[in-house]
Amino acid sequence: MASRCWRWWGWSAWPRTRLPPAGSTPTFGGSDEVRDPANAKALRNKRRRMQVRVKLGKFQLLLDIQEKTPQICVVGSGPAGFYTAQHLLKHPQAHVDIYEKQPVPFGLVRFGVAPDHPEVKSYGAEDHRALEIPGEELPGVCSARAFVGWYNGLPENQELEPDLSCDTAVILGQGNVALDVARILLTPPEHLERTDITKAALGVLRQSRVKTVWLVGRRGPLQVAFTIKELREMIQLPGARPILDPVDFLGLQDKIKEVPRPRKRLTELLLRTATEKPGPAEAARQASASRAWGLRFFRSPQQVLPSPDGRRAAGVRLAVTRLEGVDEATRAVPTGDMEDLPCGLVLSSIGYKSRPVDPSVPFDSKLGVIPNVEGRVMDVPGLYCSGWVKRGPTGVIATTMTDSFLTGQMLLQDLKAGLLPSGPRPGYAAIQALLSSRGVRPVSFSDWEKLDAEEVARGQGTGKPREKLVDPQEMLRLLGH
């Protein structure tokens, strides 16, 4: 009986790629939060070997049946990819290869939310949602996703160079990502020194002149998308004070009686912070704070305002909104009133979306997902998807794990039922030949372990868990590629 094994390959320079050779069976996926580096060590402890190759911006699973050994390829080494692989390895003979476009594994476990929250990482989609308003192309405007990638060392975002010389920043969005970005902007740099934030980002943050951060949302306090843990941390952020308008909370006490308990607790904390007089110690702390953050509700961005010379962002024009509908149907509609909010930095955090991989793979551009039923891609037998490209950019670690296991379960059921293509498949042998013909030398998992050791060694001198390598070419030079 063949033993179960897994392998990992990665590289930093992969051309615009179509799917691997004909006869493969792909599965795609994104990811959101994960606490464990994608269970990689646990998998390895069970004598499973792995290689990372190509990510393609999605999680893709390629199944090759050679005799009775399922040869499975997972494209994307984030949480959804690893969780799916973990479930597939329940098959007694499964052989799993994981492909990654970066020269390092773990996707958004490595490049996720905030360096001061190593236990929580997110972002499993390759793109952000555009604002689609005039002025969003101005210097001083960027996506929160790119900003997060910048301070977390994602190679493609290292040229961002955000200008933090302004006094005020505006974040469009009121989710956990928006709070994370606000927290990084306002946290005293000395509190970030012991995290794995990149050296370059920490240097820029040391020079930052940002003193006030506004988080703008189209709807009200009952519709914020962040969680109570992140809110508590922001309220107690050293050197910063919250700004909440009590008017935004009028009549809210009665409305929260019927909402689910997590939402009720979150809203009650917002309500207390906005309306109750703080105790002496908290009042003294807030009075001494040199920085501030605030929530602006019932505001929808209409335009990024240019500076007098037209060379950069100088503010955001907001439409005042009101709510119509009830429960899940609640939506923000404009009242006709406008207001301008001056700022020098605009970060959009209004949602994320996956990108299509290849014309041969069905894709719903509006929803940003691959049409599927329980992970089985519609109208393409043998094609599967998992993560955010399967269900959209929602959920946390539990939903990612459950969702990925379900996709793996569906594939194994189809395999057992004989519903997948049969006959010999070239599998990795074809990929290896293709790489060789293109002069591409993949990065193996043992190569990654060398990079990992180098990062850890560089971080030890400054008391950091690691100093991330951010230049793919430097990584390849260190490996002798």
Side-chain angles (χ1 to χ4, degrees), residues 339-399:
E339 68 178 34
D340 293 345
L341 182 58
C343 65
L345 177 66
V346 180
L347 298 167
S348 62
S349 184
I350 59 172
Y352 302 86
K353 64 180 181 180
S354 298
R355 294 174 180 170
V357 175
D358 186 272
S360 66
V361 179
F363 190 76
D364 186 324
S365 299
K366 183 177 181 180
L367 298 178
V369 300
I370 294 176
N372 70 94
V373 177
E374 295 184 319
R376 298 181 177 99
V377 176
M378 295 175 63
D379 302 322
V380 188
L383 187 64
Y384 301 82
C385 59
S386 182
W388 281 9
V389 79
K390 171 184 176 182
R391 69 180 188 275
T394 60
V396 294
I397 183 172
T399 42

Short mmCIF file of all heavy atoms in Angstrom, two decimals, residues 339-399:
data_model
loop_
_atom_site.label_atom_id
_atom_site.label_comp_id
_atom_site.label_asym_id
_atom_site.label_seq_id
_atom_site.Cartn_x
_atom_site.Cartn_y
_atom_site.Cartn_z
N GLU A 339 -21.01 66.19 3.30
CA GLU A 339 -20.01 66.82 4.16
C GLU A 339 -18.63 66.39 3.70
O GLU A 339 -18.46 65.30 3.15
CB GLU A 339 -20.21 66.47 5.63
CG GLU A 339 -19.96 65.04 6.00
CD GLU A 339 -20.13 64.78 7.50
OE1 GLU A 339 -21.01 65.43 8.10
OE2 GLU A 339 -19.39 63.95 8.04
N ASP A 340 -17.65 67.25 3.92
CA ASP A 340 -16.28 66.96 3.53
C ASP A 340 -15.44 66.67 4.77
O ASP A 340 -15.54 67.38 5.78
CB ASP A 340 -15.66 68.14 2.77
CG ASP A 340 -16.33 68.37 1.42
OD1 ASP A 340 -17.04 67.45 0.95
OD2 ASP A 340 -16.13 69.45 0.83
N LEU A 341 -14.63 65.63 4.68
CA LEU A 341 -13.78 65.23 5.79
C LEU A 341 -12.32 65.36 5.34
O LEU A 341 -11.83 64.56 4.55
CB LEU A 341 -14.09 63.79 6.19
CG LEU A 341 -13.34 63.19 7.37
CD1 LEU A 341 -13.54 64.02 8.64
CD2 LEU A 341 -13.80 61.76 7.62
N PRO A 342 -11.60 66.39 5.83
CA PRO A 342 -10.20 66.58 5.40
C PRO A 342 -9.30 65.45 5.89
O PRO A 342 -9.46 64.93 7.00
CB PRO A 342 -9.81 67.91 6.07
CG PRO A 342 -11.11 68.57 6.42
CD PRO A 342 -12.07 67.46 6.73
N CYS A 343 -8.36 65.05 5.05
CA CYS A 343 -7.38 64.02 5.42
C CYS A 343 -6.30 63.99 4.37
O CYS A 343 -6.45 64.55 3.28
CB CYS A 343 -8.04 62.65 5.53
SG CYS A 343 -8.71 62.02 3.98
N GLY A 344 -5.20 63.34 4.70
CA GLY A 344 -4.11 63.21 3.74
C GLY A 344 -3.86 61.78 3.32
O GLY A 344 -3.03 61.53 2.44
N LEU A 345 -4.58 60.84 3.94
CA LEU A 345 -4.43 59.43 3.62
C LEU A 345 -5.80 58.78 3.62
O LEU A 345 -6.57 58.94 4.58
CB LEU A 345 -3.52 58.74 4.66
CG LEU A 345 -3.32 57.23 4.52
CD1 LEU A 345 -2.55 56.90 3.24
CD2 LEU A 345 -2.58 56.67 5.73
N VAL A 346 -6.12 58.05 2.56
CA VAL A 346 -7.40 57.36 2.44
C VAL A 346 -7.12 55.88 2.20
O VAL A 346 -6.44 55.52 1.23
CB VAL A 346 -8.26 57.92 1.29
CG1 VAL A 346 -9.59 57.17 1.21
CG2 VAL A 346 -8.50 59.41 1.47
N LEU A 347 -7.65 55.04 3.07
CA LEU A 347 -7.48 53.59 2.94
C LEU A 347 -8.86 52.95 2.78
O LEU A 347 -9.72 53.15 3.64
CB LEU A 347 -6.78 53.02 4.17
CG LEU A 347 -5.36 53.54 4.42
CD1 LEU A 347 -4.89 53.15 5.81
CD2 LEU A 347 -4.40 52.99 3.38
N SER A 348 -9.07 52.23 1.69
CA SER A 348 -10.37 51.60 1.46
C SER A 348 -10.36 50.19 2.03
O SER A 348 -9.49 49.39 1.72
CB SER A 348 -10.72 51.57 -0.02
OG SER A 348 -9.78 50.80 -0.74
N SER A 349 -11.34 49.91 2.87
CA SER A 349 -11.48 48.59 3.48
C SER A 349 -12.93 48.17 3.38
O SER A 349 -13.61 47.93 4.38
CB SER A 349 -11.02 48.63 4.94
OG SER A 349 -11.07 47.35 5.53
N ILE A 350 -13.41 48.10 2.14
CA ILE A 350 -14.84 47.86 1.92
C ILE A 350 -15.12 46.46 1.41
O ILE A 350 -16.23 46.16 1.00
CB ILE A 350 -15.41 48.90 0.93
CG1 ILE A 350 -14.68 48.83 -0.41
CG2 ILE A 350 -15.33 50.30 1.51
CD1 ILE A 350 -15.31 49.68 -1.50
N GLY A 351 -14.12 45.60 1.47
CA GLY A 351 -14.36 44.22 1.06
C GLY A 351 -13.31 43.72 0.10
O GLY A 351 -12.51 44.48 -0.46
N TYR A 352 -13.32 42.41 -0.09
CA TYR A 352 -12.30 41.74 -0.90
C TYR A 352 -12.98 40.80 -1.88
O TYR A 352 -14.12 40.41 -1.70
CB TYR A 352 -11.33 40.99 0.02
CG TYR A 352 -10.70 41.94 0.99
CD1 TYR A 352 -11.33 42.26 2.19
CD2 TYR A 352 -9.53 42.61 0.67
CE1 TYR A 352 -10.79 43.19 3.05
CE2 TYR A 352 -8.98 43.53 1.52
CZ TYR A 352 -9.61 43.83 2.72
OH TYR A 352 -9.09 44.76 3.57
N LYS A 353 -12.26 40.47 -2.91
CA LYS A 353 -12.84 39.58 -3.90
C LYS A 353 -11.74 38.73 -4.52
O LYS A 353 -10.58 39.13 -4.59
CB LYS A 353 -13.58 40.37 -4.98
CG LYS A 353 -12.69 41.28 -5.82
CD LYS A 353 -13.50 42.01 -6.87
CE LYS A 353 -12.62 42.91 -7.73
NZ LYS A 353 -13.40 43.64 -8.75
N SER A 354 -12.14 37.56 -4.98
CA SER A 354 -11.21 36.68 -5.68
C SER A 354 -11.14 37.07 -7.15
O SER A 354 -12.02 37.74 -7.68
CB SER A 354 -11.65 35.22 -5.53
OG SER A 354 -11.64 34.83 -4.17
N ARG A 355 -10.07 36.62 -7.78
CA ARG A 355 -9.90 36.88 -9.20
C ARG A 355 -10.12 35.59 -10.00
O ARG A 355 -9.86 34.50 -9.50
CB ARG A 355 -8.47 37.36 -9.48
CG ARG A 355 -8.13 38.70 -8.87
CD ARG A 355 -6.66 38.99 -9.10
NE ARG A 355 -6.24 40.26 -8.54
CZ ARG A 355 -4.98 40.64 -8.44
NH1 ARG A 355 -4.02 39.83 -8.86
NH2 ARG A 355 -4.67 41.81 -7.93
N PRO A 356 -10.56 35.70 -11.24
CA PRO A 356 -10.65 34.49 -12.07
C PRO A 356 -9.26 33.96 -12.36
O PRO A 356 -8.31 34.72 -12.53
CB PRO A 356 -11.35 35.00 -13.33
CG PRO A 356 -11.07 36.47 -13.37
CD PRO A 356 -11.01 36.92 -11.94
N VAL A 357 -9.14 32.65 -12.42
CA VAL A 357 -7.85 32.02 -12.64
C VAL A 357 -7.55 31.83 -14.12
O VAL A 357 -6.47 32.14 -14.60
CB VAL A 357 -7.80 30.66 -11.92
CG1 VAL A 357 -6.51 29.94 -12.24
CG2 VAL A 357 -7.93 30.86 -10.43
N ASP A 358 -8.54 31.33 -14.84
CA ASP A 358 -8.31 30.91 -16.22
C ASP A 358 -9.65 30.91 -16.93
O ASP A 358 -10.69 30.61 -16.33
CB ASP A 358 -7.69 29.51 -16.23
CG ASP A 358 -7.29 29.08 -17.63
OD1 ASP A 358 -8.12 28.51 -18.34
OD2 ASP A 358 -6.13 29.33 -18.00
N PRO A 359 -9.69 31.26 -18.21
CA PRO A 359 -10.96 31.28 -18.94
C PRO A 359 -11.69 29.95 -18.92
O PRO A 359 -12.91 29.91 -19.10
CB PRO A 359 -10.53 31.65 -20.37
CG PRO A 359 -9.26 32.40 -20.21
CD PRO A 359 -8.56 31.76 -19.05
N SER A 360 -10.98 28.84 -18.72
CA SER A 360 -11.63 27.54 -18.72
C SER A 360 -12.34 27.23 -17.42
O SER A 360 -13.08 26.25 -17.33
CB SER A 360 -10.60 26.44 -19.00
OG SER A 360 -9.67 26.36 -17.94
N VAL A 361 -12.14 28.09 -16.40
CA VAL A 361 -12.76 27.86 -15.10
C VAL A 361 -13.93 28.82 -14.93
O VAL A 361 -13.76 30.04 -15.04
CB VAL A 361 -11.75 28.09 -13.96
CG1 VAL A 361 -12.41 27.87 -12.60
CG2 VAL A 361 -10.56 27.16 -14.11
N PRO A 362 -15.14 28.33 -14.67
CA PRO A 362 -16.29 29.22 -14.47
C PRO A 362 -16.01 30.22 -13.35
O PRO A 362 -15.37 29.88 -12.35
CB PRO A 362 -17.42 28.26 -14.09
CG PRO A 362 -16.99 26.92 -14.59
CD PRO A 362 -15.50 26.90 -14.50
N PHE A 363 -16.50 31.45 -13.53
CA PHE A 363 -16.28 32.46 -12.50
C PHE A 363 -17.39 33.48 -12.53
O PHE A 363 -17.78 33.96 -13.60
CB PHE A 363 -14.93 33.16 -12.70
CG PHE A 363 -14.53 34.03 -11.55
CD1 PHE A 363 -14.04 33.48 -10.38
CD2 PHE A 363 -14.65 35.42 -11.64
CE1 PHE A 363 -13.67 34.28 -9.31
CE2 PHE A 363 -14.29 36.24 -10.58
CZ PHE A 363 -13.79 35.66 -9.41
N ASP A 364 -17.94 33.81 -11.36
CA ASP A 364 -18.97 34.83 -11.21
C ASP A 364 -18.27 36.13 -10.80
O ASP A 364 -17.91 36.30 -9.64
CB ASP A 364 -19.98 34.40 -10.15
CG ASP A 364 -21.17 35.35 -10.05
OD1 ASP A 364 -20.97 36.57 -10.22
OD2 ASP A 364 -22.29 34.89 -9.77
N SER A 365 -18.06 37.01 -11.76
CA SER A 365 -17.32 38.25 -11.49
C SER A 365 -18.03 39.15 -10.50
O SER A 365 -17.39 39.88 -9.74
CB SER A 365 -17.07 39.01 -12.80
OG SER A 365 -16.29 38.23 -13.68
N LYS A 366 -19.35 39.13 -10.50
CA LYS A 366 -20.10 39.98 -9.59
C LYS A 366 -19.93 39.55 -8.14
O LYS A 366 -19.71 40.37 -7.25
CB LYS A 366 -21.59 39.97 -9.97
CG LYS A 366 -22.44 40.90 -9.11
CD LYS A 366 -23.90 40.91 -9.57
CE LYS A 366 -24.73 41.86 -8.72
NZ LYS A 366 -26.16 41.88 -9.15
N LEU A 367 -20.03 38.25 -7.91
CA LEU A 367 -19.91 37.73 -6.54
C LEU A 367 -18.47 37.41 -6.17
O LEU A 367 -18.15 37.24 -4.99
CB LEU A 367 -20.78 36.48 -6.38
CG LEU A 367 -22.28 36.66 -6.58
CD1 LEU A 367 -23.00 35.32 -6.44
CD2 LEU A 367 -22.84 37.68 -5.59
N GLY A 368 -17.60 37.30 -7.17
CA GLY A 368 -16.22 36.96 -6.90
C GLY A 368 -16.03 35.54 -6.44
O GLY A 368 -15.17 35.25 -5.60
N VAL A 369 -16.81 34.60 -6.98
CA VAL A 369 -16.72 33.20 -6.59
C VAL A 369 -16.78 32.31 -7.82
O VAL A 369 -17.21 32.74 -8.90
CB VAL A 369 -17.86 32.79 -5.62
CG1 VAL A 369 -17.81 33.61 -4.35
CG2 VAL A 369 -19.22 32.91 -6.30
N ILE A 370 -16.33 31.08 -7.65
CA ILE A 370 -16.53 30.06 -8.67
C ILE A 370 -17.86 29.38 -8.38
O ILE A 370 -18.05 28.86 -7.28
CB ILE A 370 -15.39 29.02 -8.63
CG1 ILE A 370 -14.06 29.68 -9.04
CG2 ILE A 370 -15.70 27.84 -9.54
CD1 ILE A 370 -12.86 28.76 -8.93
N PRO A 371 -18.82 29.39 -9.30
CA PRO A 371 -20.11 28.75 -9.06
C PRO A 371 -19.92 27.28 -8.68
O PRO A 371 -19.24 26.53 -9.39
CB PRO A 371 -20.85 28.90 -10.39
CG PRO A 371 -20.18 30.06 -11.06
CD PRO A 371 -18.75 30.00 -10.65
N ASN A 372 -20.52 26.87 -7.56
CA ASN A 372 -20.29 25.52 -7.08
C ASN A 372 -21.44 25.06 -6.21
O ASN A 372 -22.24 25.87 -5.72
CB ASN A 372 -18.98 25.46 -6.28
CG ASN A 372 -19.09 26.19 -4.94
OD1 ASN A 372 -19.39 25.59 -3.91
ND2 ASN A 372 -18.87 27.50 -4.94
N VAL A 373 -21.51 23.76 -6.00
CA VAL A 373 -22.45 23.15 -5.07
C VAL A 373 -21.63 22.30 -4.11
O VAL A 373 -21.04 21.29 -4.50
CB VAL A 373 -23.50 22.28 -5.79
CG1 VAL A 373 -24.42 21.62 -4.77
CG2 VAL A 373 -24.31 23.12 -6.78
N GLU A 374 -21.52 22.76 -2.86
CA GLU A 374 -20.74 22.09 -1.83
C GLU A 374 -19.30 21.85 -2.26
O GLU A 374 -18.69 20.83 -1.95
CB GLU A 374 -21.40 20.76 -1.43
CG GLU A 374 -22.76 20.94 -0.78
CD GLU A 374 -23.34 19.63 -0.30
OE1 GLU A 374 -23.23 18.62 -1.03
OE2 GLU A 374 -23.88 19.60 0.81
N GLY A 375 -18.75 22.78 -3.02
CA GLY A 375 -17.37 22.68 -3.46
C GLY A 375 -17.19 22.08 -4.84
O GLY A 375 -16.12 22.23 -5.44
N ARG A 376 -18.20 21.41 -5.36
CA ARG A 376 -18.12 20.86 -6.71
C ARG A 376 -18.43 21.99 -7.70
O ARG A 376 -19.52 22.56 -7.67
CB ARG A 376 -19.11 19.73 -6.90
CG ARG A 376 -18.88 18.51 -6.00
CD ARG A 376 -19.93 17.46 -6.31
NE ARG A 376 -19.76 16.23 -5.56
CZ ARG A 376 -20.44 15.93 -4.46
NH1 ARG A 376 -21.34 16.79 -3.98
NH2 ARG A 376 -20.23 14.79 -3.83
N VAL A 377 -17.49 22.29 -8.57
CA VAL A 377 -17.69 23.38 -9.53
C VAL A 377 -18.77 22.99 -10.52
O VAL A 377 -18.75 21.89 -11.09
CB VAL A 377 -16.38 23.71 -10.26
CG1 VAL A 377 -16.60 24.78 -11.32
CG2 VAL A 377 -15.34 24.19 -9.25
N MET A 378 -19.72 23.88 -10.71
CA MET A 378 -20.87 23.59 -11.57
C MET A 378 -20.44 23.41 -13.03
O MET A 378 -19.62 24.16 -13.55
CB MET A 378 -21.89 24.72 -11.46
CG MET A 378 -22.50 24.86 -10.06
SD MET A 378 -23.60 26.29 -9.89
CE MET A 378 -24.87 25.88 -11.08
N ASP A 379 -20.99 22.37 -13.65
CA ASP A 379 -20.81 22.08 -15.07
C ASP A 379 -19.38 21.66 -15.44
O ASP A 379 -19.04 21.59 -16.62
CB ASP A 379 -21.21 23.29 -15.94
CG ASP A 379 -22.66 23.70 -15.71
OD1 ASP A 379 -23.49 22.79 -15.55
OD2 ASP A 379 -22.93 24.91 -15.69
N VAL A 380 -18.54 21.41 -14.44
CA VAL A 380 -17.18 20.93 -14.72
C VAL A 380 -16.89 19.75 -13.81
O VAL A 380 -16.35 19.91 -12.72
CB VAL A 380 -16.11 22.03 -14.52
CG1 VAL A 380 -14.75 21.54 -15.01
CG2 VAL A 380 -16.50 23.31 -15.22
N PRO A 381 -17.25 18.54 -14.20
CA PRO A 381 -17.01 17.37 -13.35
C PRO A 381 -15.53 17.23 -13.00
O PRO A 381 -14.65 17.41 -13.84
CB PRO A 381 -17.48 16.20 -14.23
CG PRO A 381 -18.45 16.81 -15.19
CD PRO A 381 -17.93 18.19 -15.46
N GLY A 382 -15.28 16.96 -11.73
CA GLY A 382 -13.91 16.77 -11.28
C GLY A 382 -13.21 18.04 -10.85
O GLY A 382 -12.06 17.99 -10.41
N LEU A 383 -13.88 19.19 -10.95
CA LEU A 383 -13.29 20.46 -10.54
C LEU A 383 -13.91 20.89 -9.21
O LEU A 383 -15.13 20.85 -9.05
CB LEU A 383 -13.57 21.53 -11.60
CG LEU A 383 -12.88 22.88 -11.44
CD1 LEU A 383 -11.38 22.74 -11.54
CD2 LEU A 383 -13.39 23.86 -12.49
N TYR A 384 -13.08 21.31 -8.25
CA TYR A 384 -13.55 21.64 -6.89
C TYR A 384 -12.99 22.98 -6.44
O TYR A 384 -11.99 23.46 -6.97
CB TYR A 384 -13.10 20.54 -5.91
CG TYR A 384 -13.61 19.17 -6.27
CD1 TYR A 384 -12.95 18.40 -7.22
CD2 TYR A 384 -14.76 18.66 -5.68
CE1 TYR A 384 -13.43 17.15 -7.58
CE2 TYR A 384 -15.24 17.41 -6.03
CZ TYR A 384 -14.57 16.66 -6.98
OH TYR A 384 -15.04 15.43 -7.34
N CYS A 385 -13.63 23.58 -5.44
CA CYS A 385 -13.12 24.84 -4.90
C CYS A 385 -13.39 24.90 -3.40
O CYS A 385 -14.24 24.18 -2.86
CB CYS A 385 -13.76 26.04 -5.59
SG CYS A 385 -15.56 26.14 -5.47
N SER A 386 -12.63 25.75 -2.72
CA SER A 386 -12.73 25.86 -1.27
C SER A 386 -12.34 27.26 -0.85
O SER A 386 -11.67 27.98 -1.59
CB SER A 386 -11.82 24.82 -0.60
OG SER A 386 -11.94 24.87 0.79
N GLY A 387 -12.73 27.67 0.35
CA GLY A 387 -12.35 28.98 0.87
C GLY A 387 -13.19 30.10 0.31
O GLY A 387 -14.34 29.92 -0.08
N TRP A 388 -12.58 31.29 0.24
CA TRP A 388 -13.34 32.47 -0.17
C TRP A 388 -13.77 32.43 -1.62
O TRP A 388 -14.77 33.02 -2.00
CB TRP A 388 -12.52 33.73 0.10
CG TRP A 388 -12.56 34.14 1.55
CD1 TRP A 388 -13.09 33.42 2.58
CD2 TRP A 388 -12.04 35.34 2.11
NE1 TRP A 388 -12.94 34.12 3.76
CE2 TRP A 388 -12.30 35.29 3.49
CE3 TRP A 388 -11.39 36.44 1.58
CZ2 TRP A 388 -11.92 36.32 4.37
CZ3 TRP A 388 -11.01 37.47 2.44
CH2 TRP A 388 -11.28 37.41 3.81
N VAL A 389 -13.01 31.74 -2.48
CA VAL A 389 -13.42 31.65 -3.87
C VAL A 389 -14.63 30.71 -4.01
O VAL A 389 -15.30 30.69 -5.03
CB VAL A 389 -12.25 31.16 -4.75
CG1 VAL A 389 -12.04 29.66 -4.64
CG2 VAL A 389 -12.44 31.59 -6.19
N LYS A 390 -14.91 29.98 -2.96
CA LYS A 390 -16.08 29.09 -2.94
C LYS A 390 -17.31 29.80 -2.38
O LYS A 390 -18.40 29.69 -2.93
CB LYS A 390 -15.75 27.87 -2.09
CG LYS A 390 -16.93 26.94 -1.80
CD LYS A 390 -16.49 25.82 -0.87
CE LYS A 390 -17.65 24.92 -0.47
NZ LYS A 390 -17.21 23.85 0.47
N ARG A 391 -17.15 30.54 -1.29
CA ARG A 391 -18.31 31.11 -0.61
C ARG A 391 -18.32 32.63 -0.52
O ARG A 391 -19.26 33.24 0.00
CB ARG A 391 -18.41 30.53 0.80
CG ARG A 391 -17.30 31.00 1.74
CD ARG A 391 -17.45 30.39 3.13
NE ARG A 391 -16.53 30.97 4.08
CZ ARG A 391 -15.27 30.57 4.25
NH1 ARG A 391 -14.81 29.57 3.52
NH2 ARG A 391 -14.48 31.16 5.13
N GLY A 392 -17.25 33.29 -0.97
CA GLY A 392 -17.14 34.73 -0.83
C GLY A 392 -16.33 35.09 0.41
O GLY A 392 -16.08 34.24 1.27
N PRO A 393 -15.90 36.37 0.52
CA PRO A 393 -15.00 36.78 1.60
C PRO A 393 -15.68 36.96 2.94
O PRO A 393 -15.84 38.07 3.44
CB PRO A 393 -14.43 38.11 1.08
CG PRO A 393 -15.53 38.66 0.24
CD PRO A 393 -16.19 37.48 -0.41
N THR A 394 -16.10 35.87 3.54
CA THR A 394 -16.75 35.92 4.85
C THR A 394 -16.25 34.76 5.71
O THR A 394 -15.77 33.75 5.19
CB THR A 394 -18.28 35.80 4.73
OG1 THR A 394 -18.60 34.55 4.10
CG2 THR A 394 -18.86 36.94 3.91
N GLY A 395 -16.40 34.91 7.01
CA GLY A 395 -16.11 33.81 7.91
C GLY A 395 -14.79 33.93 8.63
O GLY A 395 -13.96 34.79 8.33
N VAL A 396 -14.59 33.06 9.62
CA VAL A 396 -13.38 33.02 10.42
C VAL A 396 -12.78 31.63 10.35
O VAL A 396 -13.16 30.82 9.51
CB VAL A 396 -13.69 33.42 11.88
CG1 VAL A 396 -14.12 34.88 11.95
CG2 VAL A 396 -14.77 32.52 12.47
N ILE A 397 -11.84 31.33 11.23
CA ILE A 397 -11.11 30.08 11.14
C ILE A 397 -12.03 28.86 11.16
O ILE A 397 -11.83 27.91 10.42
CB ILE A 397 -10.06 29.99 12.27
CG1 ILE A 397 -9.25 28.70 12.11
CG2 ILE A 397 -10.70 30.08 13.63
CD1 ILE A 397 -8.07 28.60 13.05
N ALA A 398 -13.05 28.90 12.00
CA ALA A 398 -13.95 27.74 12.10
C ALA A 398 -14.68 27.50 10.79
O ALA A 398 -14.81 26.35 10.34
CB ALA A 398 -14.95 27.94 13.23
N THR A 399 -15.12 28.58 10.13
CA THR A 399 -15.82 28.41 8.86
C THR A 399 -14.87 27.95 7.76
O THR A 399 -15.25 27.14 6.91
CB THR A 399 -16.52 29.71 8.45
OG1 THR A 399 -15.65 30.82 8.70
CG2 THR A 399 -17.81 29.91 9.20
#
